[in-house]
Amino acid sequence: MYVYHVPRIAAAMRQDRATFERGVMFAILSARVQFPRVPLQCAELAKQKHKARCLWGWKADAYAYLTANAPQLWRDTLAAPSTEEALFVLTRIPGLGIVKAAFVLQMLGHDVACLDVRNIQREGRHPRAYRSDGQIGKSSAAFRRKIARYVADTAGRAQELWDTWCIEVAKDYGDTAMRISEAHLTSIVPRKLRNLTFTTGGSSLADTF
């Protein structure tokens, strides 16, 4: 699943700012929502924008920030010299914590993963281990250390956890893992960009603008 879809998502998000924004919002909309609803909410957001009903709570603040700051956020994320720094950049978005920011980076081709509720439960992790506890806490040294621990805990597992997650979700909803994975691609990437492929020549996945 991962090898068919994530390199294409990553290439499009890196090449096109609007696709980057859709990828970020896909991660935001997926918070506390059953997965089959996420593609529908992405379509709703595209039509209704700030009036979309899916922008409840902190998601409305996150969307407002993203639409106002997308160019700089996109450049800074891609120019970050490391996964840790890119993760820190993305957590500028109000309400976006380490876990969902890591989901964005996973879709951007970084070899980290999203430790959502499903993955946390399967691996027996503490559910609050990577909580951000508000925007103020994100400026602390402790938050930086938490980011470093998160990257260390998920480094090298992007494909493994993506595929495992898709298999489990597919079983829950009577679908196939391939279709669950593909839903990310079709929700985020316009048809004209879906044939792009992202590859890396070394250990660094950061681009420089």
Side-chain angles (χ1 to χ4, degrees):
M1 287 71 71
Y2 177 96
V3 297
Y4 289 107
H5 303 127
V6 175
R8 295 158 69 188
I9 296 171
M13 287 178 66
R14 286 168 176 269
Q15 177 171 303
D16 180 62
R17 192 194 77 208
T19 303
F20 169 81
E21 292 180 56
R22 282 192 292 273
V24 173
M25 286 310 303
F26 187 98
I28 289 169
L29 293 175
S30 71
R32 299 187 179 184
V33 171
Q34 293 180 326
F35 182 76
R37 294 177 58 194
V38 180
L40 298 176
Q41 291 189 350
C42 288
E44 177 196 358
L45 183 61
K47 293 181 179 179
Q48 302 295 327
K49 301 192 183 300
H50 69 279
K51 295 182 179 180
R53 294 179 63 185
C54 57
L55 295 178
W56 47 264
W58 66 273
K59 299 183 182 186
D61 293 335
Y63 179 71
Y65 180 91
L66 179 62
T67 55
N69 298 278
Q72 191 65 50
L73 190 72
W74 181 51
R75 288 192 295 267
D76 290 350
T77 301
L78 297 188
S82 68
T83 297
E84 289 182 23
E85 286 300 317
L87 192 52
F88 185 68
V89 168
L90 285 170
T91 59
R92 293 175 191 167
I93 300 173
L96 188 65
I98 293 174
V99 173
K100 288 300 182 181
F103 182 24
V104 176
L105 291 186
Q106 186 179 27
M107 292 189 289
L108 276 167
H110 288 253
D111 201 359
V112 290
C114 174
L115 292 178
D116 69 344
V117 173
R118 185 180 296 271
N119 286 331
I120 285 173
Q121 290 178 344
R122 185 190 328 103
E123 299 194 355
R125 296 177 179 271
H126 195 288
R128 296 182 62 87
Y130 299 107
R131 288 285 295 268
S132 301
D133 297 321
Q135 286 299 111
I136 295 177
K138 293 178 180 180
S139 62
S140 68
F143 185 68
R144 286 279 198 163
R145 291 193 294 271
K146 192 175 288 188
I147 285 176
R149 289 199 305 272
Y150 187 94
V151 171
D153 280 353
T154 63
R157 304 187 66 195
Q159 180 173 346
E160 170 207 342
L161 289 177
W162 180 284
D163 288 351
T164 299
W165 187 91
C166 289
I167 291 168
E168 292 184 354
V169 171
K171 289 179 180 177
D172 285 350
Y173 294 105
D175 210 329
T176 67
M178 189 65 76
R179 280 170 51 87
I180 293 296
S181 181
E182 185 181 30
H184 296 73
L185 175 69
T186 56
S187 298
I188 297 168
V189 182
R191 287 185 181 276
K192 64 182 180 180
L193 297 178
R194 289 180 195 170
N195 290 327
L196 297 173
T197 301
F198 174 66
T199 58
T200 62
S203 58
S204 175
L205 292 173
D207 287 343
T208 301
F209 271 59

